[in-house]
Amino acid sequence: EFTNGAFTNVSYTGGMPPVNGNEDEFTASLGGNDYAIANIGVAVADAGSGETISINAFDNSNNKIVLTIDASLTPGTYQITGNMLEDVVGARYLTTSPESMYMATTGSVVINSKTEDRIAGTYSFSATNGTEVVNFTGTYDVDYSF
């Protein structure tokens, strides 16, 4: 981010920003503190009982927050109970050092808007790795059409 100065003959090698402004966005707060997201990956997979949208938000150390959402859902609020066989939404947090998986046991995923190619909303969840508990809140707005 430049805030001051004059520049001439500076080459740029990056890509152009999206023309329509539909860049993927994901925010996170861990225990009330901002959690920096460096990269976002979205996938749609057939989970056997229907398609699932998987939103993966990575930090600079490759730790990631994962939200899973049943692709057939419409705008509304959906609860996370920790029952992976019955919940239509889920969340987890995976760390690389030390390697650990925190599975969400309570929380919710809110879908504020959903079109044929974008989904946006908010989330909050508590997750545990068996000994520690982490609490995340945030927002998402991603393209899931491929």
Side-chain angles (χ1 to χ4, degrees), residues 56-138:
N56 299 268
F58 298 86
D59 68 13
N60 283 324
S61 299
N62 263 349
N63 301 315
K64 69 179 173 178
I65 302 165
V66 180
L67 299 180
T68 55
I69 303 168
D70 184 310
S72 69
L73 297 178
T74 58
T77 301
Y78 300 92
Q79 298 303 312
I80 298 170
T81 68
N83 184 337
M84 293 174 43
L85 297 176
E86 294 184 13
D87 287 354
V88 293
V89 295
R92 61 187 184 275
Y93 174 56
L94 294 94
T95 60
T96 58
S97 183
E99 191 173 313
S100 190
M101 181 185 313
Y102 296 76
M103 295 298 296
T105 56
T106 62
S108 65
V109 174
V110 177
I111 301 173
N112 291 331
S113 64
K114 184 180 177 206
T115 65
E116 290 183 12
D117 59 359
R118 291 198 73 79
I119 188 166
T122 62
Y123 66 91
S124 65
F125 66 89
S126 292
T128 182
N129 65 357
T131 56
E132 295 178 282
V133 174
V134 294
N135 296 295
F136 278 99
T137 60

Side-chain angles (χ1 to χ4, degrees), residues 1-66:
E1 178 178 303
F2 296 107
T3 58
N4 194 3
F7 305 92
T8 56
N9 297 325
V10 177
S11 63
Y12 178 71
T13 59
M16 295 298 293
V19 175
N20 58 8
N22 285 338
E23 187 172 326
D24 290 343
E25 295 180 11
F26 194 98
T27 66
S29 174
L30 172 58
N33 298 311
D34 285 344
Y35 187 86
I37 301 298
N39 193 16
I40 304 165
V42 182
V44 178
D46 186 344
S49 59
E51 289 187 331
T52 300
I53 301 167
S54 178
I55 305 167
N56 299 268
F58 298 86
D59 68 13
N60 283 324
S61 299
N62 263 349
N63 301 315
K64 69 179 173 178
I65 302 165
V66 180

